[in-house]
Amino acid sequence: MTGQGALADATGVGDPAPLTAVVRPARLANGEGRSISLRDAFGEALLQLAQADPDIVVVDADLSNAVGLTSFPAALPDQYLQVGIAEQNAVGVAAGLATWGYRPVVTSFAAFLTSRSLDQVRVVVAQTGLPVVLVGGHAGLLAGRLGKTHVSMEDLAIMRALPGMTILAPADGVEMRGAIAAALAANRPVYLRSGRDPVPAFFAADHEVVLGAADLLREGDVACLLSTGSITPLAHAAVQLLAEAGHEVAHLHFGTVKPLSGAVVRDVARGRRLVITCEDHSRVGGFGSAVAEILSEEALVPVLRIGTDDVWVDSARNDALLALHRLTPADIAERIAERLTR
Amino acid sequence: MTGQGALADATGVGDPAPLTAVVRPARLANGEGRSISLRDAFGEALLQLAQADPDIVVVDADLSNAVGLTSFPAALPDQYLQVGIAEQNAVGVAAGLATWGYRPVVTSFAAFLTSRSLDQVRVVVAQTGLPVVLVGGHAGLLAGRLGKTHVSMEDLAIMRALPGMTILAPADGVEMRGAIAAALAANRPVYLRSGRDPVPAFFAADHEVVLGAADLLREGDVACLLSTGSITPLAHAAVQLLAEAGHEVAHLHFGTVKPLSGAVVRDVARGRRLVITCEDHSRVGGFGSAVAEILSEEALVPVLRIGTDDVWVDSARNDALLALHRLTPADIAERIAERLTR
Amino acid sequence: MTTHASGVVDAAPPHGTEPMPRVTVAELDRLIATARTCRANVIRLVHHAGAGHVGGPLSAIDVLTALYFDVMRLDPQRPLWPDRDRFILSKGHSSPALYAVLAARGLLEDATLLTFDELGSPLQAHPDMRKSPAIDMSTGSLGQGFSAGLGIALGAQRRGSPARVYVLLGDGECQEGQVWETAMLAERLRVANLTAIIDWNGQQQVGWDAESDEPGRQETMLEPVAKWRAFGWQVHTIDGHDMAALVSALRACRTATAPTVILARTMKGKGVSFMEGDNAWHSRVMSDAECALALAELGA
Amino acid sequence: MTTHASGVVDAAPPHGTEPMPRVTVAELDRLIATARTCRANVIRLVHHAGAGHVGGPLSAIDVLTALYFDVMRLDPQRPLWPDRDRFILSKGHSSPALYAVLAARGLLEDATLLTFDELGSPLQAHPDMRKSPAIDMSTGSLGQGFSAGLGIALGAQRRGSPARVYVLLGDGECQEGQVWETAMLAERLRVANLTAIIDWNGQQQVGWDAESDEPGRQETMLEPVAKWRAFGWQVHTIDGHDMAALVSALRACRTATAPTVILARTMKGKGVSFMEGDNAWHSRVMSDAECALALAELGA
Ligand SMILES: Cc1ncc(C[n+]2csc(CCOP(=O)(O)OP(=O)(O)O)c2C)c(N)n1
Ligand SMILES: Cc1ncc(C[n+]2csc(CCOP(=O)(O)OP(=O)(O)O)c2C)c(N)n1
Ligand SMILES: [Mg+2]
Ligand SMILES: [Mg+2]
């Protein structure tokens, strides 16, 4: 009667299977495919998934339209629960629904989901293991016109601190489609990082999302750049600039921030002069720190963590913010070149 | 009329002075001094400080007695504000009081302060810079008999993610006395980590708390152990065991977790075979990660991060928990020796 | 009859929603005796562990007994029966009371009681649903169990299950804003299969006792009846140690057409004279002598 | 006369707590004209930025005008005068309204208006107290400004200052539990120098409009009068676009003996015909033509 085995029942509190840790050669869009925002890709994909699976229920804290679910409420009113501007209750209600085998998807902004309702995510989601998918919209600098209360540069660091959370940060609309499907299939607590503005398709339409897998975007001997989330296309452009300047830098994209395979990270680091991490997130505690934690264990290779400095981000246009925080492709390339030629 | 200069007024929203980054030889208690819990030391010290400074106001979310303020409400009723079991409002009210030059001290458990009220800490404290001191009780394993909802192994990771937070984690009662005084004098947002159970005096009575300073507890050529918080005495015992086994490991205590001086950390690492970090906190995102972030930049020296694994902590007796998570002095010594003799 | 996600059709008889008959004197006597046994077990397990809360569990025992031994539909042989009624101890620090009652009801093995709060025990300091199928929701951080309970009640409705959800909250706990977020949503959705019970013992951890002499201002809750009514809830105020009152109020909830809250007037430490109303016993560790005295008073 | 922490004694005349005289027609006309100018500036700055909220700012302009031009004690020459009344825009996304009114009142330079939401501007998307002394509290995360306002009101009392605190909340914002934590503590402490105003425009970001046809169930707030009364607040319901009503209700707060809430019935997008009541304008970007049309309607 004790132990977790007894709970691997309809309540869905079973122990999740371990994630796959693989590196796959990526197929890129190369100019094909649609330009779409992460949020709109999320909205389209979730609507389709929910049409096929009546157990998918959106629990919305009054931001569904802002995170891409514009037509969802009218299209599937029975699978949409508006709880009002009450993020704490949203997460608790979602946990309760999950005990019945429903697959709740909680929608709000990253900044609020990972702070206003952090205690609820901690206790009734991460600690229970209930399969609630938390979708945090407007994460990162590229929602900059809302300013520091709304722009979350800390969400990855905060979610990473919770045992049992799976964290996904897709690069583009193609990957977002796969990520929400994978998140719902994973039967565990997932935090899915979403964004606001349209981005050109980066991955080819048949890009497959496998939790825990990394995508090899480019080979290169000198160094290896590891990126996550929607900065991956910018980082990819940076790597191309570096190649033009004679620096052959390999590039991997990690759509899964947690769990992160130490074996994979060590593997790509070994034999190279530098590992660079790149994320649309603070340099403190996020993806770069996860990589630094792993690589510092053997002091294998130096790690250059690219992200925003440890400051609050003011409101401004995306391009102004990217320039200010030195996250344009040219800036990223320059920071890496500086370090390589030091 | 713009800019922050205009605000360096009675509202106390000025920019704080940078912290001192120094390493000082520590003076230890060596069996002298009282055994006292961090919470009781906090309670005694705060009462004295508040008697001398009527602007110090406790804002309590119904846990004052549990965090050491047993006699405070009756002794200084005018400087004690009970807000009830409402952590969010507690932090907001404290921020409001701070605009008048009051020095609010918010009391709750670490687990709740850094999650239930995280959005409030983020927006009206860290983002405003208002000098609110947040005292998180029952942090770490040694409050283990309350279980995973109450035992915060994530507080340092979460607070570290917020720009502008100063984070203090004293080792013993002596240091706690200095830490609360320093926190109140610092005129900035401070998170002060506190604990429940009595610990023998570690530092000599004249130990001085200087924000940002590290305390050299022992010299040693082979490796260097950096610890924070109330595990420092256990780490110190471990280092002695290691010396007996022929491993000369230097030991520094960091009563300030953030900001952490890169220069100091690099300095103590250089020329040694290994840096070990030790904390009563998860290995993810906390003090060890801060050190790993710094040292991975140049891959200077390997870093062994000792803390709890990335799992939720069940309720049990302190000794059982320390053994389970391999955090007794013998365990710590063994983990280090294993690594050194590999 | 309920069809579940799995496609399994539940053969168990559906819960009646017709009013239940009046409770008999014999039934009441049995419930009162059970509550007394459970009180003794609370004392035993907390004393054995040398940790845990006491006052709050004792004030909650009668409510729990009425729920688990009279009102709730459940089957100890099938703790995860989908149509079972759910109970959530939102005031999770009263876990010793929950454990004592679950054991008495056959949902936990008696032997586990004395493992409370020890390494490896399913009986965590605060209830943990991953440790035992008898626990419907993990709690301990105040205010959260109520939200989860609302979610479970909504889930039951969506699944077409007659399961009802009972949530026990502390009076101090009602200071948490999350409680009112939950109350508001339940009001809006008229979630009638959700019953909240407030363990109105008039005390919390610290409170305002020391701070205010003004009558009424030390209360844990100000005007709770008006507040819950304004939030669209049906409100019953009863003596939370009067088993007959408890049983009839809780039975009546089964036919409610709106979310219902029962304000159960209780006393912290109820049943042990030297603990009654003395908030020092919120979570104090007992001496052996105090334990013996308490057990003697409880006739155990 | 107030003695401050710094020991400085404030020479400015204390605020009167005697009731203020009835507002004159001429005064009203001036306030109405000011509100209209401010509406035009909201349109201008949001259009210029190509970002920001519109509907909520327009519904809040009249309240803000009444406060800053009639009710609040302040001195544009000394924005940090300790005894000034404080205003907190808890619904921080209506920052364009605040900026327009602060500029009109001489607390911000007009030139800064068109820097709204641009790099380096003091006019952040959401109000930031670190960017301008005219902003009394940073907001943007709903529900928080009210708590801070309560803290400021308590601080005023402790310092012996006659400063009053006015907090503007959204009706949707009142779904946040933190709002009720604040309301509860203000009730308990009877914080009479705190006034909450609810911008009751009946809409939020998404809400229940699409979900429920049942009358009343799409409302942002259910039974707000009963709720606030039950929480011990004095409640006034007024037309939030009727300047005379606003001024007299707000003036009356100065002699309140309990915390007071003004439920100000408003309309999102008020003043621009094609925006009125159309929640698509919550935060939509205007075309040049729409901007011109709006400005024309506002006679600007
Ligand atoms: C969110 C949160 N804050 C604080 C606590 C600490 N705490 C445990 S019990 C308690 C008092 C609870 O009072 P009440 O709800 O009246 O329960 P009682 O003990 O009187 O039954 C507090 C503050 C907690 N468990 N959760
Ligand atoms: C804590 C939090 N959750 C969500 C949001 C996003 N948000 C901004 S405006 C808004 C709707 C607010 O409605 P209301 O308070 O009625 O203001 P109105 O726009 O109608 O004036 C929401 C949900 C926020 N700013 N803060
Ligand atoms: Mg109580
Ligand atoms: Mg509104």
Side-chain angles (χ1 to χ4, degrees):
Chain A
M1 204 145 70
T2 70
Q4 309 181 347
L7 288 164
D9 75 323
T11 62
V13 195
D15 267 331
L19 303 184
T20 336
V22 288
V23 177
R24 313 155 313 161
R27 297 212 30 243
L28 300 187
N30 296 322
E32 306 279 308
R34 291 185 300 167
S35 183
I36 188 173
S37 62
L38 291 188
R39 62 173 169 180
D40 287 339
F42 161 74
E44 287 180 12
L46 187 66
L47 184 58
Q48 278 176 18
L49 291 164
Q51 272 158 344
D53 180 355
D55 282 350
I56 295 174
V57 182
V58 169
V59 179
D60 178 37
D62 202 34
L63 280 170
S64 49
N65 59 357
V67 300
L69 299 181
T70 322
S71 55
F72 196 107
L76 294 175
D78 291 344
Q79 286 166 255
Y80 177 75
L81 182 62
Q82 174 61 262
V83 305
I85 312 174
E87 295 80 6
Q88 304 188 95
N89 190 40
V91 173
V93 164
L97 286 168
T99 66
W100 283 96
Y102 287 106
R103 313 311 309 269
V105 177
V106 183
T107 48
S108 179
F109 286 162
F112 305 130
L113 261 187
T114 65
S115 65
R116 191 56 152 267
S117 47
L118 181 62
D119 198 26
Q120 290 72 24
V121 172
R122 185 175 74 91
V123 172
V124 295
V125 179
Q127 292 183 355
T128 62
L130 287 165
V132 173
V133 178
L134 307 157
V135 180
H138 287 49
L141 267 193
L142 301 184
R145 297 212 83 181
L146 290 168
K148 61 174 81 65
T149 55
H150 283 58
V151 175
S152 184
M153 307 307 293
E154 314 89 53
D155 57 334
L156 298 179
I158 294 166
M159 287 292 104
R160 218 166 65 75
L162 302 186
M165 284 303 300
T166 294
I167 306 177
L168 306 183
D172 71 348
V174 173
E175 193 174 32
M176 174 53 102
R177 296 184 69 90
I180 178 63
L184 284 162
N187 199 32
R188 71 179 89 196
V190 177
Y191 172 67
L192 174 56
R193 189 176 217 231
S194 185
R196 186 185 62 179
D197 293 320
V199 284
F202 181 72
F203 285 112
D206 60 356
H207 171 73
E208 200 197 342
V209 171
V210 175
L211 297 193
D215 299 295
L216 182 62
L217 302 172
R218 191 189 179 98
E219 298 275 8
D221 287 346
V222 181
C224 183
L225 189 155
L226 317 181
S227 64
T228 188
S230 55
I231 209 155
T232 285
L234 306 193
H236 189 62
V239 168
Q240 280 166 324
L241 292 176
L242 285 166
E244 288 162 22
H247 304 290
E248 285 299 335
V249 174
H251 184 191
L252 277 94
H253 168 73
F254 287 76
T256 307
V257 173
K258 185 178 179 179
L260 186 62
S261 160
V264 167
V265 171
R266 273 187 293 270
D267 225 52
V268 300
R270 227 179 305 262
R272 294 195 164 89
R273 274 174 49 204
L274 181 69
V275 163
I276 306 108
T277 63
C278 192
E279 63 200 300
D280 182 6
H281 184 276
S282 158
R283 298 173 70 241
V284 178
F287 174 67
S289 299
V291 171
E293 284 172 4
I294 292 167
L295 291 180
S296 68
E297 284 172 8
E298 303 295 333
L300 260 187
V301 175
V303 182
L304 171 64
R305 294 180 348 269
I306 296 181
T308 56
D309 287 341
D310 189 21
V311 295
W312 296 108
V313 167
D314 280 347
S315 54
R317 288 169 199 268
N318 287 351
D319 48 3
L321 285 173
L322 283 176
L324 181 71
H325 294 278
R326 299 196 62 209
L327 289 172
T328 66
D331 290 314
I332 295 171
E334 201 176 295
R335 285 159 90 156
I336 296 171
E338 265 169 29
R339 184 65 176 68
L340 284 174
T341 55
R342 204 172 59 182
Chain B
M1 204 147 69
T2 71
Q4 308 181 347
L7 288 163
D9 74 323
T11 64
V13 195
D15 268 330
L19 302 185
T20 336
V22 289
V23 178
R24 314 157 311 166
R27 296 211 30 240
L28 300 188
N30 298 323
E32 306 279 308
R34 292 185 297 167
S35 181
I36 188 172
S37 62
L38 291 187
R39 63 173 169 179
D40 288 338
F42 162 73
E44 288 179 12
L46 187 66
L47 184 58
Q48 277 175 18
L49 291 163
Q51 272 157 346
D53 180 355
D55 281 350
I56 294 173
V57 182
V58 170
V59 179
D60 178 37
D62 202 33
L63 280 170
S64 48
N65 59 358
V67 300
L69 297 181
T70 322
S71 54
F72 195 107
L76 294 175
D78 290 344
Q79 286 167 256
Y80 177 76
L81 181 62
Q82 175 61 265
V83 305
I85 311 174
E87 295 79 6
Q88 304 188 95
N89 191 39
V91 173
V93 165
L97 286 168
T99 66
W100 283 97
Y102 288 105
R103 313 310 311 269
V105 176
V106 184
T107 48
S108 180
F109 286 161
F112 305 130
L113 261 188
T114 64
S115 65
R116 192 57 152 270
S117 47
L118 181 62
D119 198 25
Q120 290 73 23
V121 172
R122 185 175 74 91
V123 172
V124 295
V125 178
Q127 293 184 353
T128 62
L130 286 165
V132 173
V133 178
L134 307 156
V135 179
H138 288 47
L141 268 194
L142 301 186
R145 296 211 85 182
L146 290 168
K148 60 175 81 66
T149 55
H150 282 59
V151 174
S152 184
M153 308 306 294
E154 314 88 54
D155 57 333
L156 298 180
I158 295 166
M159 287 293 103
R160 219 166 64 76
L162 303 185
M165 284 303 300
T166 295
I167 305 177
L168 306 183
D172 71 348
V174 173
E175 193 174 32
M176 174 52 102
R177 297 184 69 90
I180 178 63
L184 284 162
N187 198 31
R188 71 178 90 194
V190 177
Y191 173 67
L192 173 57
R193 190 175 215 233
S194 185
R196 188 185 62 180
D197 294 320
V199 284
F202 180 73
F203 285 112
D206 59 357
H207 172 73
E208 199 196 343
V209 171
V210 175
L211 297 193
D215 299 296
L216 181 63
L217 301 173
R218 190 190 178 98
E219 299 274 8
D221 287 347
V222 181
C224 183
L225 189 154
L226 316 182
S227 64
T228 188
S230 54
I231 209 154
T232 284
L234 307 192
H236 190 61
V239 168
Q240 280 166 325
L241 292 175
L242 284 166
E244 288 162 21
H247 304 291
E248 284 299 336
V249 174
H251 185 192
L252 277 94
H253 168 74
F254 287 75
T256 307
V257 173
K258 184 177 180 180
L260 185 63
S261 161
V264 167
V265 171
R266 275 187 292 272
D267 225 52
V268 299
R270 227 180 305 263
R272 294 197 163 86
R273 273 173 51 205
L274 182 69
V275 163
I276 307 108
T277 64
C278 192
E279 64 201 298
D280 183 6
H281 184 276
S282 159
R283 299 173 69 241
V284 178
F287 174 67
S289 299
V291 171
E293 284 171 5
I294 293 167
L295 291 180
S296 69
E297 286 172 5
E298 304 294 333
L300 260 187
V301 175
V303 181
L304 171 64
R305 295 180 347 270
I306 295 180
T308 55
D309 287 342
D310 188 20
V311 295
W312 296 110
V313 167
D314 280 347
S315 53
R317 289 169 198 269
N318 287 350
D319 47 3
L321 286 173
L322 283 177
L324 181 72
H325 294 278
R326 300 195 62 208
L327 288 172
T328 67
D331 290 315
I332 295 171
E334 201 176 295
R335 285 159 90 157
I336 297 171
E338 265 167 30
R339 183 66 177 68
L340 283 174
T341 55
R342 206 174 55 181
Chain C
M1 213 160 66
T2 314
T3 312
H4 297 286
S6 53
V8 173
V9 175
D10 206 310
H15 310 210
T17 50
E18 70 288 354
M20 285 173 69
R22 255 179 145 265
V23 61
T24 67
V25 174
E27 280 170 341
L28 275 182
D29 285 346
R30 235 174 298 131
L31 291 171
I32 291 165
T34 302
R36 175 178 278 249
T37 309
C38 290
R39 284 199 161 83
N41 278 337
V42 165
I43 298 293
R44 283 194 191 99
L45 79 85
V46 171
H47 178 251
H48 188 266
H53 293 76
V54 195
L58 291 177
S59 77
I61 280 280
D62 295 310
V63 172
L64 283 167
T65 303
L67 282 169
Y68 274 96
F69 284 84
D70 184 84
V71 181
M72 284 168 66
R73 297 289 174 260
L74 46 83
D75 177 358
Q77 298 312 308
R78 294 188 299 159
L80 293 173
W81 173 38
D83 281 344
R84 75 191 182 280
D85 286 344
R86 308 296 200 276
F87 173 73
I88 299 174
L89 185 69
S90 198
K91 47 169 291 198
H93 62 284
S94 292
S95 56
L98 178 62
Y99 300 150
V101 171
L102 288 177
R105 189 69 175 84
L107 278 155
L108 275 181
E109 281 159 46
D110 275 328
T112 61
L113 285 184
L114 294 190
T115 68
F116 171 67
D117 211 359
E118 297 291 355
L119 193 66
S121 171
L123 308 191
Q124 294 286 298
H126 296 87
D128 184 341
M129 69 183 286
R130 299 212 52 170
K131 301 290 187 186
S132 161
I135 296 170
D136 289 319
M137 184 49 60
S138 298
T139 53
S141 176
L142 294 168
Q144 294 201 34
F146 194 25
S147 282
L150 172 56
I152 296 176
L154 289 168
Q157 292 182 3
R158 298 178 82 93
R159 285 275 183 250
S161 166
R164 295 193 50 83
V165 181
Y166 299 90
V167 182
L168 184 67
L169 296 123
D171 48 357
E173 183 178 8
C174 294
Q175 291 150 14
E176 284 287 357
Q178 189 178 357
V179 168
W180 302 98
E181 293 182 359
T182 309
M184 250 183 284
L185 187 65
E187 159 193 36
R188 188 179 289 275
L189 304 175
R190 290 207 192 87
V191 185
N193 59 338
L194 177 65
T195 300
I197 305 122
I198 315 288
D199 186 357
W200 190 0
N201 58 28
Q203 289 170 326
Q204 51 193 88
Q205 171 116 17
V206 181
W208 289 267
D209 295 25
E211 266 195 283
S212 174
D213 297 328
E214 204 187 324
R217 294 281 131 172
Q218 316 96 310
E219 288 291 339
T220 50
M221 306 190 290
L222 301 176
E223 303 291 349
V225 176
K227 284 194 169 99
W228 286 95
R229 285 236 170 92
F231 275 70
W233 285 58
Q234 303 219 331
V235 186
H236 301 288
T237 306
I238 62 168
D239 176 346
H241 300 306
D242 175 340
M243 197 57 83
L246 272 170
V247 166
S248 79
L250 287 165
R251 285 185 178 189
C253 290
R254 301 177 65 231
T255 52
T257 55
T260 307
V261 60
I262 295 173
L263 298 172
R265 262 288 182 199
T266 55
M267 184 179 265
K268 237 164 154 162
K270 177 71 180 182
V272 177
S273 63
F274 61 93
M275 294 181 178
E276 285 188 357
D278 178 1
N279 209 20
W281 288 102
H282 176 73
S283 63
R284 183 150 107 195
V285 177
M286 273 170 267
S287 68
D288 292 348
E290 285 164 337
C291 175
L293 201 59
L295 289 176
E297 282 196 18
L298 292 163
Chain D
M1 212 161 67
T2 313
T3 311
H4 297 286
S6 53
V8 174
V9 176
D10 206 311
H15 310 208
T17 48
E18 69 289 353
M20 287 172 68
R22 255 178 144 266
V23 59
T24 67
V25 174
E27 280 169 342
L28 274 182
D29 284 346
R30 236 176 298 131
L31 290 171
I32 291 165
T34 302
R36 174 179 279 249
T37 309
C38 290
R39 283 198 161 84
N41 278 338
V42 164
I43 298 293
R44 283 193 190 99
L45 78 85
V46 171
H47 178 251
H48 188 266
H53 293 76
V54 194
L58 291 177
S59 77
I61 280 278
D62 296 311
V63 172
L64 283 166
T65 304
L67 283 169
Y68 274 95
F69 284 84
D70 185 81
V71 181
M72 284 168 64
R73 298 285 173 265
L74 46 83
D75 177 356
Q77 298 312 307
R78 293 189 299 158
L80 292 173
W81 173 37
D83 282 344
R84 75 192 183 279
D85 287 344
R86 307 297 199 276
F87 172 73
I88 299 174
L89 186 68
S90 199
K91 48 169 287 198
H93 61 285
S94 292
S95 55
L98 178 62
Y99 300 150
V101 171
L102 288 177
R105 189 71 174 85
L107 278 154
L108 275 182
E109 283 160 44
D110 275 327
T112 62
L113 286 184
L114 294 190
T115 67
F116 171 66
D117 211 0
E118 298 290 356
L119 192 67
S121 170
L123 308 192
Q124 294 286 299
H126 296 87
D128 185 339
M129 69 184 285
R130 299 211 52 167
K131 302 289 186 184
S132 161
I135 297 170
D136 288 320
M137 183 51 59
S138 298
T139 53
S141 175
L142 294 168
Q144 294 201 34
F146 194 24
S147 282
L150 172 55
I152 296 176
L154 289 169
Q157 292 182 3
R158 298 178 82 91
R159 286 276 182 251
S161 166
R164 296 193 50 84
V165 180
Y166 300 90
V167 181
L168 184 67
L169 295 123
D171 47 357
E173 183 178 9
C174 293
Q175 292 151 12
E176 284 288 358
Q178 189 179 358
V179 168
W180 302 98
E181 293 182 0
T182 308
M184 250 184 284
L185 187 65
E187 160 193 37
R188 188 177 291 275
L189 304 175
R190 291 206 192 89
V191 185
N193 59 337
L194 177 66
T195 299
I197 305 123
I198 316 288
D199 186 357
W200 189 2
N201 57 29
Q203 289 169 327
Q204 51 193 92
Q205 171 116 17
V206 182
W208 289 267
D209 295 27
E211 266 196 284
S212 175
D213 296 328
E214 204 187 324
R217 294 282 130 170
Q218 316 96 311
E219 288 292 337
T220 50
M221 307 190 290
L222 301 176
E223 303 291 350
V225 176
K227 284 194 170 100
W228 286 95
R229 285 238 171 89
F231 275 69
W233 285 58
Q234 302 220 330
V235 187
H236 300 289
T237 306
I238 62 169
D239 175 346
H241 300 307
D242 176 341
M243 197 57 84
L246 272 169
V247 166
S248 79
L250 287 165
R251 285 185 179 187
C253 290
R254 301 176 65 231
T255 52
T257 54
T260 306
V261 60
I262 295 173
L263 297 172
R265 263 288 182 198
T266 55
M267 184 179 265
K268 237 163 153 163
K270 177 71 180 183
V272 178
S273 63
F274 61 91
M275 293 181 178
E276 285 189 357
D278 179 1
N279 209 20
W281 288 102
H282 176 73
S283 63
R284 182 149 109 197
V285 177
M286 271 170 267
S287 68
D288 291 349
E290 285 164 338
C291 175
L293 201 60
L295 290 177
E297 281 196 18
L298 292 165

